[in-house]
């Protein structure tokens, strides 16, 4: 049986190109449009939040999958770039999210090619089960660097 869960945020305009965000899980912060859209540098932007939502969700799903594939995860770091297309009429859309995870795992006596295959399966599962990645229209590209330590 399907079920639903609801998440919420509240935003408030605080003047000029500034806003304040309160997330349902507790954190609060100021935000702005990005500098190229008459906003301010050094604070959260909706574009940053979009890319961060996908990156954090995929990471959490990778950790979940790594546990299920019994990987000895030593470290995970991922730089994700979102490519935004600005049309002539000024409408905008993210066309691509490019994930570049660097994943270090222990071999634990298994052949490197077996461990590499398990890491890649875990990455596929992470993408498959990522709520955010499944909720966007953008092309998703994952280009991992996998480091296997013996």
């Amino acid at each position: 049986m399907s079920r639903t869960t609801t998440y919420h945020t509240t935003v408030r305009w605080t003047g000029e190109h500034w806003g304040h965000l309160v997330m349902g899980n507790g954190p609060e912060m100021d935000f702005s449009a990005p500098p190229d859209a008459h906003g301010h540098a050094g604070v959260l932007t909706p574009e940053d939040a979009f890319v961060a939502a996908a990156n954090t969700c995929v990471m959490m799903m990778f950790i979940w999958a790594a546990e299920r594939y019994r990987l000895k995860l030593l470290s995970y770091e991922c730089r994700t770039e979102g490519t935004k297309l600005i049309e002539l009429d000024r409408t905008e859309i993210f066309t691509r999210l490019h994930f570049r995870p660097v994943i270090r795992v222990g071999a634990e006596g298994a052949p490197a090619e077996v461990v590499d295959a398990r890491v890649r399966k875990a990455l596929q599962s992470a993408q498959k089960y990522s709520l955010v990645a499944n909720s966007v229209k953008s092309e998703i590209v994952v280009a991992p660097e996998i480091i296997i330590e013996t």
Side-chain angles (χ1 to χ4, degrees):
M1 174 182 234
S2 297
R3 64 185 181 101
T4 62
T5 304
T6 303
Y7 298 87
H8 66 275
T9 61
T10 303
V11 296
R12 181 174 80 290
W13 176 59
T14 58
E16 297 178 1
H17 288 256
W18 286 102
H20 187 77
L21 167 67
V22 179
M23 291 174 259
N25 202 29
E28 296 186 34
M29 66 189 72
D30 291 331
F31 68 95
S32 175
D36 66 350
H38 310 292
H40 303 277
V43 297
L44 180 73
T45 69
E47 291 81 354
D48 291 330
F50 176 84
V51 175
N55 200 0
T56 57
C57 191
V58 168
M59 185 194 88
M60 296 309 297
M61 289 296 93
F62 179 78
I63 292 169
W64 167 83
E67 291 169 353
R68 273 134 193 90
Y69 284 99
R70 295 182 174 26
L71 294 169
K72 183 179 181 188
L73 183 61
L74 302 173
S75 67
Y76 178 99
E77 183 173 326
C78 184
R79 177 177 172 83
T80 299
E81 297 168 355
T83 301
K84 180 176 78 169
L85 174 66
I86 304 169
E87 298 284 1
L88 291 176
D89 67 356
R90 304 284 296 153
T91 57
E92 301 175 344
I93 186 170
F94 275 99
T95 56
R96 182 199 300 195
L97 292 172
H98 194 154
F99 294 79
R100 291 182 170 91
V102 177
I103 302 164
R104 287 181 46 243
V105 294
E108 300 209 322
E113 59 274 3
V114 171
V115 176
D116 185 84
R118 286 175 35 217
V119 171
R120 290 179 189 282
K121 280 186 172 184
L123 275 169
Q124 289 172 348
S125 293
Q127 187 178 343
K128 177 179 179 181
Y129 291 102
S130 169
L131 165 68
V132 178
N134 285 323
S135 299
V136 300
K137 296 192 283 187
S138 309
E139 172 191 18
I140 304 286
V141 176
V142 181
E145 177 184 343
I146 300 169
I147 303 162
I148 301 168
E149 296 191 1
T150 55

